[in-house]
Amino acid sequence: MPITADHVGRSYPATKPYRVSRAKIAEFATALGDQNPAYFDADGPIAPPTFAAVIAAQAWGALFGDPELGLALQRTMHADQRFDIVRPLREGDDVVATLTIERVRNRGNTDMVTIGVELATVDGEPLGTATSQLIHTRQEAAE
């Protein structure tokens, strides 16, 4: 059975904690070409806002691993991304990500799926949400 609007609201268990490190913040900022001093601060750097995608993407495994949905990463295009940040991620944060299916639209053999990934510290402090729209082509259309 393909993913449908009946799956809206389905949430998956939180990911294992991800430790935000100085090295990963610097690596990410460097890859972006962003030399903002806040990302390299010796007293405790913050991460670029889009660093949230690194952690949110780990939650995608549960979505694509759900056999009921029929989703396949190789038939999926990441169409849109939005970040709603409560506070910057900081060196030393232990972050978990919880994915929820927010919207599903089906058009022919194409599924348009909006997912929200809530980011929080292991102590439950909200950090923000990464919202993505995925466009998925079902198997029968891909053949």
Side-chain angles (χ1 to χ4, degrees):
M1 170 168 86
I3 190 169
T4 68
D6 292 338
H7 295 104
V8 170
R10 181 176 289 193
S11 290
Y12 296 88
T15 60
K16 292 180 181 177
Y18 178 97
R19 170 63 60 98
V20 178
S21 71
R22 175 184 308 272
K24 288 298 180 184
I25 292 171
E27 181 180 283
F28 191 85
T30 300
L32 293 176
D34 190 339
Q35 296 301 309
N36 184 327
Y39 306 148
F40 301 93
D41 187 325
D43 293 328
I46 62 168
T50 55
F51 188 86
V54 171
I55 303 167
Q58 293 181 354
W60 289 25
L63 180 75
F64 286 99
D66 186 338
E68 185 179 318
L69 304 183
L71 298 175
L73 188 58
Q74 69 269 21
R75 294 191 313 273
T76 303
M77 179 175 65
H78 186 204
D80 189 33
Q81 183 72 56
R82 183 179 75 241
F83 299 99
D84 296 302
I85 305 299
V86 174
R87 77 148 168 90
L89 298 171
R90 299 182 187 111
E91 176 186 23
D93 282 339
D94 290 315
V95 183
V96 294
T98 305
L99 185 146
T100 300
I101 300 170
E102 295 183 348
R103 184 176 182 190
V104 177
R105 293 180 299 158
N106 307 103
R107 300 289 184 267
N109 289 325
T110 302
D111 306 313
M112 292 160 276
V113 182
T114 303
I115 57 173
V117 180
E118 296 288 330
L119 302 175
T121 65
V122 294
D123 296 326
E125 177 190 358
L127 299 170
T129 304
T131 303
S132 303
Q133 183 179 45
L134 308 175
I135 299 176
H136 178 261
T137 304
R138 278 185 243 123
Q139 180 69 33
E140 59 268 17
E143 298 177 331

